[in-house]
Every structure is written in structure tokens, then in C-alpha cells.
Amino acid sequence: MKLLIPIDSMDFSQQAYDFLSKQLIHTCTHLYFVHVIPNANNLESIYPDVKEKLLEQGKLLIEQSINLFQETGVLTEGKVLTGKPSIEIVNIANEEDVDVIVIGNRSNTTEGDYTFGSVSYGVVHLSTHPVLVIK
């Protein structure tokens, strides 16, 4: 089974590891990590090197996530992308032909217990692949 794991923090990488190592890791053949940096065009006029710094942070996050899963023996890869996160996640899921997208839910709304965050909501509604949302 090939899983796509969008990550935005090491906290979620750890959550995904804890969940997958107990539930799905024995069925996985490939874990594909993706970190999406939202377009920051309006910030680049104020902070000229913001994109490079975000790319560096994204690469470090991918590397740390891959290292977390290294001992499982599952093939791991990762990529940092820029764009609208939900769209980029669905696009890479299609390109890599994954079996399942495993995404975290971090709703910042006051109704957070009842709703998805905007990225997980977008992925659930745009994807033709199954989506497993971890809270």
C-alpha cells in the first residue's frame, strides 16, 4: 500500500508515526511525504528571502519525517511544493497514484470539534483517492 502523508509540523509527523506504526505500517510498501508552502507572493516584497527560508524549513521537516520512519523498513520519499495546499496534495496523490492520503486535522475554528481544517476539508472534497483524517 502506498500512502501520501502531507505534513506541516513534526508534531503531526509523530502523530502519523504513532498511528501508522500501530495500525497500518505492516501493510505499507511506500510512504510519500509532502510539505506544501502556501504562495507568499505578497510577503516577498517585504521579506525578500521568505520563500527560500520556508523551502529550507520544509526540506528539514521532510528529512526529519523520513528519519522517523527509517527503522520501519518501508520505502520513504518526500517533496516540498508551493501553491494552494489542498490542490497540491491532491495533485501529488494523483501523480504518485497513492492508495490512501493520511492527513491531520487541525481546525482553527471555534467549532473545531465538529469541522475539518481548511486543508483537510479541501483534500477530502477534491480527492478521488481515499482520505484518512487523523485527529
Side-chain angles (χ1 to χ4, degrees):
M1 180 183 310
K2 188 174 187 181
L3 304 179
L4 175 66
I5 305 174
I7 53 173
D8 63 357
S9 70
M10 274 311 292
D11 288 341
F12 179 69
S13 294
Q14 186 64 52
Q15 270 184 296
Y17 176 79
D18 292 344
F19 177 80
L20 293 173
S21 65
K22 293 175 189 167
Q23 305 295 329
L24 296 174
I25 204 72
H26 61 281
T27 64
C28 292
T29 58
H30 194 138
L31 296 174
Y32 197 98
F33 297 95
V34 64
H35 177 74
V36 182
I37 300 167
N39 287 329
N41 297 338
N42 55 341
L43 288 177
E44 289 184 87
S45 62
I46 301 168
Y47 305 105
D49 60 346
V50 70
K51 189 172 184 178
E52 289 78 26
K53 293 208 181 290
L54 291 172
L55 285 169
E56 287 174 26
Q57 290 174 346
K59 289 176 184 177
L60 181 60
L61 185 58
I62 292 290
E63 183 181 307
Q64 291 171 333
S65 298
I66 287 172
N67 288 341
L68 190 63
F69 284 85
Q70 188 173 11
E71 292 181 15
T72 64
V74 176
L75 178 64
T76 55
E77 291 184 67
K79 186 182 260 188
V80 178
L81 304 170
T82 58
K84 185 169 183 188
S86 56
I87 291 172
E88 295 302 324
I89 291 166
V90 170
N91 286 345
I92 199 74
N94 291 336
E95 286 175 26
E96 296 297 325
D97 194 28
V98 301
D99 296 301
V100 179
I101 301 170
V102 180
I103 192 167
N105 177 33
R106 187 176 67 191
S107 177
N108 291 324
T109 65
T110 56
E111 302 83 24
D113 292 336
Y114 309 107
T115 62
F116 289 121
S118 59
V119 174
S120 55
Y121 180 86
V123 170
V124 166
H125 287 85
L126 293 173
S127 181
T128 57
H129 297 274
V131 179
L132 174 62
V133 180
I134 299 176
K135 177 136 174 105

